Amino acid sequence: MFNAVTDDGEVLDQEICEKLFNCSAIVKEPTTWSKTIEQKLKVDVERHVAATISQSLENNNRFFHEERERLEKWADDLILAAERELSDTKAKIKELKRRARLAVSTEEQHEIQKKIKEMERKQRRQRQQIFDIEDEIMEKRDKLIDELEKQLVQKIEKEELFTIRWTIV
């Protein structure tokens, strides 16, 4: 981060500070400045740090909401598809039971009962699949929450690298 204060106490924005580094310069002897200017620089640095941290938290928050939305849509799609398959299987079982009631021969009744048994096994597997999908969703949510917690723990270090006094001629 760059920050600057003129001798008159006017704070310069970061973009101007960055542009100053593109100018040609001549190094002269060290100079001093007043405590007022030094204090103003420190206040400006703290303002820049706070703004940067705030922006970082806002970006993390936006990322988390986008990821949560994406996860919820994915979860809804998975569960909806699994429930639709289960519903189709239930409808087929219902139809087979209706056909079994109307069956004329014992042989036809036996074939239908075998199909019902197969479909009921399929139904149980589909129910288990829904539970497995819900478990997978919970794992992904837990992972997302863990990632968010890691992002919330921010380590901030400040180190003054140098201070320059410019004279533009």
Side-chain angles (χ1 to χ4, degrees):
M1 287 188 260
F2 295 99
N3 67 321
V5 177
T6 65
D7 287 342
D8 298 334
E10 180 185 344
V11 176
L12 300 178
D13 66 24
Q14 180 154 333
E15 185 178 339
I16 292 173
C17 296
E18 290 173 18
K19 287 181 181 181
L20 285 172
F21 278 88
N22 291 324
C23 298
S24 297
I26 299 172
V27 177
K28 293 197 173 189
E29 70 280 346
T31 186
T32 59
W33 47 83
S34 70
K35 289 286 184 190
T36 307
I37 297 294
E38 190 175 326
Q39 185 60 31
K40 199 152 197 143
L41 281 170
K42 286 182 181 179
V43 168
D44 193 46
V45 165
E46 292 304 320
R47 186 179 56 81
H48 279 268
V49 168
T52 302
I53 291 169
S54 176
Q55 181 66 40
S56 176
L57 288 173
E58 187 177 307
N59 289 343
N60 287 347
N61 191 34
R62 184 173 46 254
F63 169 76
F64 176 71
H65 285 293
E66 289 170 359
E67 287 299 304
R68 190 192 72 224
E69 283 294 318
R70 197 165 55 93
L71 176 64
E72 287 177 3
K73 286 179 184 176
W74 171 80
D76 290 345
D77 289 346
L78 278 181
I79 290 175
L80 188 63
E83 286 176 346
R84 191 175 299 126
E85 285 180 27
L86 179 61
S87 180
D88 290 347
T89 302
K90 285 180 180 180
K92 288 176 184 174
I93 291 171
K94 187 176 182 179
E95 174 60 26
L96 285 169
K97 286 181 178 180
R98 185 189 66 75
R99 283 181 45 206
R101 283 191 304 273
L102 300 175
V104 179
S105 69
T106 308
E107 189 177 294
E108 185 181 358
Q109 180 73 252
H110 177 67
E111 285 299 315
I112 293 173
Q113 289 301 326
K114 280 175 43 179
K115 287 180 183 177
I116 289 173
K117 186 178 178 179
E118 289 173 26
M119 293 304 287
E120 286 175 340
R121 262 194 236 117
K122 182 177 181 180
Q123 182 182 29
R124 283 190 296 280
R125 282 192 310 269
Q126 288 172 330
R127 284 185 176 137
Q128 184 58 48
Q129 182 183 13
I130 290 173
F131 291 130
D132 293 343
I133 289 170
E134 288 173 343
D135 288 345
E136 182 181 357
I137 291 166
M138 291 302 290
E139 286 176 23
K140 290 201 183 257
R141 272 197 191 119
D142 290 347
K143 183 179 176 187
L144 183 64
I145 289 169
D146 289 345
E147 288 175 11
L148 176 64
E149 287 172 352
K150 288 177 187 173
Q151 290 175 1
L152 290 177
V153 177
Q154 294 186 348
K155 183 179 179 186
I156 300 167
E157 291 183 28
K158 292 189 301 185
E159 179 182 353
E160 183 178 321
L161 298 177
F162 52 82
T163 305
I164 300 174
R165 184 163 189 189
W166 296 85
T167 303
I168 299 176
V169 289

